[in-house]
Structure formats: C-alpha cells, structure tokens
Amino acid sequence: MTTHESAGIARWRQIADSLRADIAEGRLVDALPSEMRLAERFAVNRHTVRRAIAALGEEGLLTAARGRGTFVAPRPGRIAYPVGPRSRFSENIGAASREPGGSMVGATREPASTEIAGLLGCGIAAPLARLDLLRVADGAPVIVSTLWFEEARVPGIVAAFAELGSISRALEALGLAGCRRLWTRVSAIAAEARDAERLHCPLATPLIQTTSLTAAATGEPVQYARSRFLGSRFELLFDHTAGPAAD
Amino acid sequence: MTTHESAGIARWRQIADSLRADIAEGRLVDALPSEMRLAERFAVNRHTVRRAIAALGEEGLLTAARGRGTFVAPRPGRIAYPVGPRSRFSENIGAASREPGGSMVGATREPASTEIAGLLGCGIAAPLARLDLLRVADGAPVIVSTLWFEEARVPGIVAAFAELGSISRALEALGLAGCRRLWTRVSAIAAEARDAERLHCPLATPLIQTTSLTAAATGEPVQYARSRFLGSRFELLFDHTAGPAAD
DNA sequence: TATAGTTGTCTACACAAATAGACAATTAAA
DNA sequence: TTTAATTGTCTATTTGTGTAGACAACTATA
C-alpha cells in the first residue's frame, strides 16, 4: 500500500503548518531564517516558501521587512484551562487574566437523541433546549460550545442565560445551585467548515473536543455539553490529586 | 482581509476529510449517497467526489461496488481511555478488549531542559533517561509517547522496561511501587511528518497531546511523559467524582 | 561608499488538480 | 426483458501549484 500521507495538501501549506507549529511551541522566535535557508531546509523553491510566509503573515503570525528579514510576532501563549467538578468558563479565563466574553450564536429546541436521552435520563425525543455559545478571549473566538438541557427540568434557561450572561448563574436563578460536573471526555478532531468559520481558523485546524455531563446537587443530570477548543491556544489541566470533597 | 481558510488543501481532500469525520462520528453508515448526490451536496464535479472516495477506499473506510453503490466499512469505534492517578496503558487497552502492545522505538540519554528539571525536581542538565514508545491496538499504531526519568533516581529503567515490557512493572522492580499520576495536561496538535510516519496517518491529522507528571508513593516526582493519541481513535475519560479520598 | 544579504516583483514553463462531457459495465427492480 | 440507477473509464480543457531565473528595492555593515 503506497499511500502518500501528504496527498492533497499543497507543499506551501505543509510548510506553513510546520512553521506555525514551531511558532506555537516556542521553537521559533524573533528572526526567521532567510527565505533561501528555509527553501534549502524544506528542499523547495524560494517562491514556495514565500507563499507559506505570506499565509502566516495574513494570520498575523509573521511580519516581513524588506532588506532586514522576517520576524515572528510575539505569541499569545496557551491559556491554561483547569477542568474539574466546578469548572466554569468565566473563572478559568478570568484566572488567566484575559477578559472573558461570550455570545449566544444560537438557541433552538430539538428532540432528545437516544444518546443524550440516556445521559440526561429523560425520554427519547423529549424536548431539549439547545444553546450554542461562542466564547472569546483577547477579542478572538476560541471556543464553540453546545449545551443541551431537558426543557421540563430547567424552563426558561435560555432567557435566564441571556439576562445573566452566565450558565452557572442562570442555573442558580432557576433554583439549581451547586451543580457539579460528573465527567469529561476528551478527543481531538479537525475543524470542519462551520467550526473554521466560527473560530476564524483554517480548515482542518486541530481542535480539542470535550463532552461533559453536569448534575445538580441532588445528583440528577442537568446539562450535557459539547465544546471545541482551539487546540493551539489551550491546555486543559486535570488535577488528579484534588478530590471531590476537597476544594 | 479576504483570507480563504481552505487555501492549500485540495477540494477532494476536504471532501474526504468531511466524509471521514462523518464516518468517525457515526453520522454516516451503510450505503453512501451516490456519487452524483455527493457531487451536488459539495457543489463539485462527480470526478472530484470519486477521488475523495478513492482516498477513503485506500484507507479501508469505504468499498465501492459497480452498479450497487458505495458502502461504509464497519467502523472500529473509539477506544475509551480512562485517565486518573493510576492510569496504565495496558489496563486501559485491555479493558477495551483489544490486544495491548507496544514497542520501544528509541532509548537515549539527554540533559534535562529547564522545564523538565523544574518538574522532576532535579538539576538543570542532569542526565535523563528518555524512552520513546509506540503503542499498538488492533495491529495499528495509535499512540507515541516519550517518557523522561532522572537517571540517578531510577538507574536501569530502560533495561527493566525492555525485560518486563511495562513501565509500571519496571518501576516496581526498581523499588518504586504505588506510583501515582499527579496531573495531566491536554491539548490538540496537528501530526507533523515524524508523527504521521510513526502513526501511519495522513499529515495534519488531529492528535491528542497529553503531558503528565507521575510521582512515587513518597510524593517525589519520578516520570514526566508526553504522549500523542490518534484523535479519531480515542476518547480520554476523566471522572471527576471518583476522587482519591472518596470511595 | 561599496558590498553582501535580505525581501519584493516580474516572466516563463511543467505538472497536478478540478471541471466537463460521453459512454461502458454492472446491478436491482419494474 | 426493459429500464433506471449505479460505478468505472476515457478524452479534453481550464485553473492552481511548484520550479526556475532574473532583477529591483531596501538594510546593515565593513
């Protein structure tokens, strides 16, 4: 089986991806090697390197100066995002000293799928409130998340969120204080067209996908969530030493 | 700024990626829509769809039958991988009823970087034993991981692993039973050329990257690890209810 | 000032990718 | 058997990608 793994991806794109990874990991700082050197390193024509650099320039990662060289823009750094029973977006981003933000990009009703019905413990095709949120840090979108609630259990959740601007506060307002996250599942996926558009990132950008189940203080499941984080901007932190009883 | 987010990736590749995601998520089963329908859906010529299908066929995800249609091969499903203080590869894969396996693809010595020295609590440039492992499920490579140990603390770790075939058993043999994982950090990255080659996956495939710190029963850090999981084959499970003190 | 090294721009050519149309081969159902 | 729908194969054309060479514009340094 002679499959070329790189099939279908233009050479300049591969070079841009490689340089972008080097920049994200901090392996490449300050001045970039000259176009000729890079062309030699990647065994490619100078024009091909130039195209890769142009793409990264449009992303704001590089700036070129005629006669001087090309330079790496100061990188934003990864946002440390602790995940635990009490995780809330606003706290996490706040702790990282970045302005939190978020906007509702969609609020619909849909019947429960077999999977979600099983997780939330409601009937199949029971009416769910679905909330689509876009979360922003430093003025750029970084997370898209979709939340599902059984409508009968939390009536008016959408209106409450719209008013209070926070899921946890909206739940408290509905008499559900002290909600706890039961578990989190993590996988990695490639950004599809819709995600890429919303997150303002190139197609096929690696995203961290998490799904999680949150329960009320009574233990009753309340919220099922599916989030996608910009892989290059985040690092999820799981602390295995802090137990559920400890805070 | 008129950036085309899809620049540099061939249309057939995008279509193949989209279909692959649909298959991986279970949104596409049994018979595929006909080539003409797919061409309409993606607003593309039938030949472009055919190329995407051919690529997925080479990956073993689809089989085409003249006159009948194209069919989705039964998908392997995601491997559920619980992560906690006692996570071990062999247990996790074993629990998923797949044959575990792993091979050492590299064992070198290198001086401790500032970062790793800080985590392991040893001096900068102290000699480390570095172990590169390739882990296999169902005959296909699915994880590459790199482990670092301070050599003075676990002399002969490489030989012990080579003999026993398991990190935890090797540590026990060196008198370090009851090691616990302190924390895990998770991010998503795109497969680079080296990873793609080792994991036998296309370039830029989304990978889950974890870094973790493991300590001995005394609390002294022993092992720092960096692993990359094939994003489409895994789902990491974090249980926030089962704490170390509780249960 | 002179020189070496850098980025920016232009032309030209070869090859891959995508589109378009036509028809053959096979299958399932009317 | 006939018909419609499917996948397989061929030719041709247009657009995108990568290579090659040359030269201009600019910068820092000897």
Side-chain angles (χ1 to χ4, degrees):
Chain A
M1 184 162 36
T2 326
T3 48
H4 337 187
E5 311 299 16
S6 60
I9 302 187
R11 197 78 183 86
W12 66 263
R13 232 293 192 164
Q14 298 177 34
I15 293 168
D17 290 345
S18 171
L19 293 176
R20 194 189 296 107
D22 285 344
I23 293 170
E25 298 292 332
R27 293 189 291 263
L28 204 52
V29 288
D30 299 331
L32 218 66
S34 75
E35 293 173 352
M36 279 306 293
R37 275 177 208 280
L38 287 174
E40 285 171 19
R41 173 183 305 176
F42 288 106
V44 108
N45 190 277
R46 181 181 154 228
H47 292 89
T48 309
V49 167
R50 279 182 63 73
R51 185 149 190 187
I53 289 176
L56 295 175
E58 283 207 353
E59 292 178 30
L61 292 175
L62 295 179
T63 51
R66 178 186 293 199
R68 301 205 306 130
T70 307
F71 301 88
V72 179
R75 69 196 178 105
R78 281 212 155 121
I79 300 173
Y81 193 98
V83 180
R86 306 274 182 188
S87 308
R88 292 170 198 174
F89 175 76
S90 50
E91 287 174 10
N92 285 332
I93 301 294
S97 75
R98 290 184 164 85
E99 330 143 14
S103 57
M104 210 189 314
V105 292
T108 58
R109 308 175 68 181
E110 63 181 40
S113 67
T114 324
E115 185 194 0
I116 296 184
L119 291 169
L120 286 181
C122 63
I124 293 176
L128 300 182
R130 173 185 162 148
L131 221 58
D132 284 288
L133 305 180
L134 186 62
R135 307 190 132 154
V136 173
D138 299 328
V142 290
I143 310 179
V144 283
S145 43
T146 307
L147 314 177
W148 285 272
F149 301 89
E150 188 187 0
E151 214 162 38
R153 206 168 287 163
V154 286
I157 180 73
V158 173
F161 173 79
E163 189 181 349
L164 299 169
S166 153
I167 289 294
S168 46
R169 264 179 285 166
L171 287 171
E172 279 171 23
L174 295 174
L176 289 170
C179 288
R180 290 173 45 87
R181 185 181 287 213
L182 297 182
W183 48 254
T184 306
R185 300 182 190 178
V186 182
S187 60
I189 62 172
E192 299 172 29
R194 254 183 94 142
D195 299 326
E197 191 185 0
R198 284 184 170 170
L199 289 175
H200 207 270
C201 69
L203 254 186
T205 299
L207 305 179
I208 309 172
Q209 174 176 262
T210 67
T211 57
S212 62
L213 189 65
T214 300
T218 60
E220 201 180 25
V222 167
Q223 166 199 314
Y224 175 68
R226 176 162 167 268
S227 300
R228 291 143 188 251
F229 297 69
L230 221 45
S232 62
R233 296 295 314 278
F234 281 91
E235 189 164 63
L236 307 190
L237 306 181
F238 294 90
D239 188 341
H240 306 302
T241 57
D247 267 34
Chain B
M1 182 160 43
T2 327
T3 49
H4 340 185
E5 310 296 19
S6 59
I9 302 187
R11 197 80 184 83
W12 66 263
R13 232 288 194 163
Q14 299 177 32
I15 294 168
D17 290 345
S18 172
L19 292 176
R20 194 188 296 108
D22 285 345
I23 293 170
E25 298 293 332
R27 292 190 292 262
L28 205 52
V29 289
D30 301 330
L32 218 66
S34 74
E35 294 174 350
M36 278 306 293
R37 277 177 206 279
L38 288 174
E40 286 171 16
R41 174 182 305 177
F42 288 106
V44 109
N45 191 275
R46 182 181 154 231
H47 293 87
T48 310
V49 167
R50 280 182 61 73
R51 183 145 191 193
I53 290 175
L56 295 175
E58 281 207 354
E59 293 178 28
L61 292 174
L62 296 178
T63 52
R66 177 185 293 199
R68 300 206 305 130
T70 307
F71 301 88
V72 179
R75 69 195 177 104
R78 281 213 155 119
I79 300 173
Y81 193 98
V83 180
R86 306 275 181 189
S87 308
R88 291 170 199 176
F89 176 77
S90 50
E91 285 175 10
N92 286 332
I93 301 294
S97 75
R98 291 184 163 87
E99 331 142 12
S103 56
M104 210 190 315
V105 293
T108 57
R109 307 175 68 182
E110 63 182 40
S113 67
T114 324
E115 185 194 0
I116 296 185
L119 291 169
L120 287 181
C122 63
I124 293 174
L128 300 181
R130 172 184 163 150
L131 222 57
D132 284 288
L133 304 179
L134 186 63
R135 307 190 131 154
V136 173
D138 299 327
V142 290
I143 310 180
V144 283
S145 45
T146 307
L147 314 176
W148 286 272
F149 302 88
E150 188 187 1
E151 213 163 38
R153 205 168 287 163
V154 285
I157 181 73
V158 173
F161 172 79
E163 188 182 350
L164 299 169
S166 152
I167 288 295
S168 46
R169 265 178 285 166
L171 287 171
E172 280 171 21
L174 295 174
L176 289 170
C179 287
R180 291 173 45 86
R181 184 181 288 213
L182 297 182
W183 48 254
T184 305
R185 300 183 190 177
V186 182
S187 60
I189 61 172
E192 298 172 30
R194 255 183 91 146
D195 298 327
E197 191 185 359
R198 284 185 170 168
L199 289 175
H200 207 270
C201 70
L203 254 186
T205 299
L207 305 180
I208 310 172
Q209 173 177 261
T210 68
T211 57
S212 62
L213 189 65
T214 301
T218 60
E220 201 181 24
V222 167
Q223 167 199 313
Y224 175 68
R226 176 160 166 268
S227 300
R228 291 142 188 253
F229 297 70
L230 221 46
S232 62
R233 295 295 314 277
F234 280 91
E235 191 164 62
L236 307 191
L237 306 181
F238 293 90
D239 188 340
H240 307 303
T241 57
D247 288 33

